[in-house]
Amino acid sequence: MTIEEHVVLVDSAGHALGTAPKSEVHGRETPLHLAFSSYVFDHEGRVLLTRRADRKVTWPGIWTNSCCGHPLPGEPVDRAVERRLSYELGLAVESIDLMLPTFAYRAVMANGIVEHELCPVYRVTVSSPVVPNPEEVGETRWMPWKEFAEGVLNGLLAISPWCREQVPLLDELGADPTSWQPASPSELPAAARP
C-alpha cells in the first residue's frame, strides 16, 4: 500500500495552516503551499537544467531549474531538497545553501491549472553523475551559469515561470554562483523553519 504524499498549506505570511494530499492541491483553485526550488552546480560553475517529464501535472515537458519539490509535513526544507535530488536525479549533495528564503509565486497554465507556492530557493553543489528518473525528468543539460542567466534575462530561453522569476533575483547576488552569500535559515517563513 502506498502512502499518499501531503503538502504543507500556508498563509500569505508563511504560517502553516495544515496539510493536504499533493494529488489534490494542483488545480484551478490551488492554495498557497510550501515548496522549494534548487539550482545544482558542478565544480566548473555549470548549472544543471532539467526538462520536466511529460507526465507532470504542471508544466509538463518544460525546461526549468535543477529540481523542485515539496517538503513533507515536519520535514526540514533542506532535507526535502536532498531527498528529491536523490529521487529525481540520483544525486548525492555535497553542500546546500539557502539563497532566496521568502520567494513566492503564482502562475497559471494555459489549461487553467495554477501553481501557487511559497518556494525557498537553494544552491546545491554536487560532483556525482546525474542519473535521471524518467518518471520525473525528460532530459538534463549542464550550462554555464552566465550563459543560462543571460538567456533567461534576455528572454532567449523558454523556461518555467518560477525559474524566469528566480533567475533575476539570483543574478543580483553576483555573477559567480560560488560567491553568493547564503541567507540564514532564520529568514525562512515560519512554516519552513527547522
Side-chain angles (χ1 to χ4, degrees):
M1 181 175 150
T2 304
I3 297 174
E4 184 163 27
E5 191 174 328
H6 280 65
V7 299
V8 178
L9 304 178
V10 295
D11 63 20
S12 59
H15 296 98
L17 297 174
T19 66
K22 180 181 171 183
S23 62
E24 297 175 14
V25 169
H26 300 96
R28 293 177 182 272
E29 305 288 332
T30 301
L32 183 61
H33 58 280
L34 187 60
F36 69 82
S37 281
S38 65
Y39 289 75
V40 171
F41 292 90
D42 64 12
H43 289 283
E44 297 172 38
R46 298 180 305 169
V47 63
L48 179 64
L49 307 181
T50 59
R51 187 178 62 77
R52 294 168 64 80
D54 292 332
R55 64 176 286 280
K56 291 283 213 180
V57 173
T58 57
W59 281 269
I62 298 296
W63 283 94
T64 192
N65 54 294
S66 310
C67 181
C68 300
H70 304 87
L72 300 171
E75 180 183 31
V77 184
D78 57 351
R79 296 293 159 253
V81 174
E82 289 187 57
R83 175 175 55 82
R84 292 305 297 184
L85 283 171
S86 175
Y87 175 72
E88 293 190 18
L89 295 160
L91 290 171
V93 170
E94 285 185 9
S95 66
I96 181 168
D97 298 297
L98 175 63
M99 303 314 302
L100 305 174
T102 59
F103 178 81
Y105 74 99
R106 184 178 186 277
V108 184
M109 292 176 60
N111 65 4
I113 291 180
V114 175
E115 190 64 278
H116 193 199
E117 296 182 335
L118 178 57
C119 186
V121 178
Y122 290 81
R123 172 187 62 196
V124 178
T125 304
V126 301
S127 59
S128 60
V130 179
V131 184
N133 177 343
E135 293 292 308
E136 300 289 337
V137 178
E139 292 179 69
T140 62
R141 177 182 177 196
W142 288 100
M143 193 171 191
W145 172 257
K146 184 176 188 292
E147 180 185 339
F148 172 64
E150 286 176 358
V152 173
L153 295 172
N154 294 316
L156 303 175
L157 295 176
I159 203 87
S160 69
W162 58 89
C163 189
R164 194 168 44 248
E165 290 184 37
Q166 291 164 355
V167 169
L169 300 174
L170 292 170
D171 191 60
E172 289 176 8
L173 300 176
D176 177 7
T178 64
S179 70
W180 295 344
Q181 289 303 305
S184 167
S186 67
E187 297 177 62
L188 283 165
R193 279 185 219 137

